[in-house]
Amino acid sequence: MPVQNTQILGRQAEDDALAYLLLQGLVLLQRHFLCKGGELDLIMRDGKVIVFVEVRRRSSTAFGGALASITQAKQRRMVRAAQTYLLGQKSLPPCRFDAVTIDGAQISWLKNILDM
């Protein structure tokens, strides 16, 4: 699949995840936070909690599905990016890492997928 199509599908998955989380009452703080150590797809607020959201899409659950694609290395990059984001905050809010996985047409929201 050409890179351009992959980028379009990735953007659509993020759009779908964002719409889903907004319906659940979360508030968008930032999209596509990039820093030297990593990236965060969505940064949202759930009440007083800052939520760092990784969005993963797979066409099926073959080979473990979308959740299985969040490797240890990816988790380390997420933590580094979150730490960088938090350096810019006036105070340290409670935080968690969530994942929104899209396997085919099935969307799932997994809360607190790793501890910071």
Side-chain angles (χ1 to χ4, degrees):
M1 186 179 302
V3 172
Q4 189 174 21
N5 286 345
T6 302
Q7 289 172 341
I8 291 169
L9 289 173
R11 183 69 169 190
Q12 183 61 54
E14 286 180 16
D15 290 346
D16 294 345
L18 176 58
Y20 179 85
L21 293 173
L22 290 172
L23 286 173
Q24 308 307 312
L26 277 71
V27 176
L28 178 65
L29 298 177
Q30 189 166 345
R31 238 184 129 144
H32 254 49
F33 177 80
L34 296 170
C35 65
K36 186 175 182 178
E39 70 162 308
L40 298 163
D41 295 327
L42 301 170
I43 302 173
M44 304 196 75
R45 192 176 72 242
D46 185 7
K48 294 181 179 182
V49 178
I50 300 295
V51 183
F52 302 107
V53 182
E54 176 67 13
V55 178
R56 289 295 173 127
R57 179 185 184 279
R58 294 293 180 266
S59 58
S60 75
T61 56
F63 309 108
L67 184 59
S69 71
I70 304 174
T71 63
Q72 289 287 337
K74 177 60 181 170
Q75 291 174 32
R76 285 191 298 273
R77 289 191 302 273
M78 289 167 58
V79 169
R80 277 195 297 268
Q83 290 169 333
T84 300
Y85 175 82
L86 291 170
L87 287 173
Q89 303 303 301
K90 292 178 183 171
S91 62
L92 188 61
C95 303
R96 74 172 191 253
F97 291 89
D98 290 1
V100 173
T101 59
I102 304 169
D103 290 296
Q106 177 68 38
I107 189 167
S108 299
W109 177 22
L110 302 132
K111 296 182 182 179
N112 215 19
I113 63 166
L114 56 112
D115 293 319
M116 189 167 158

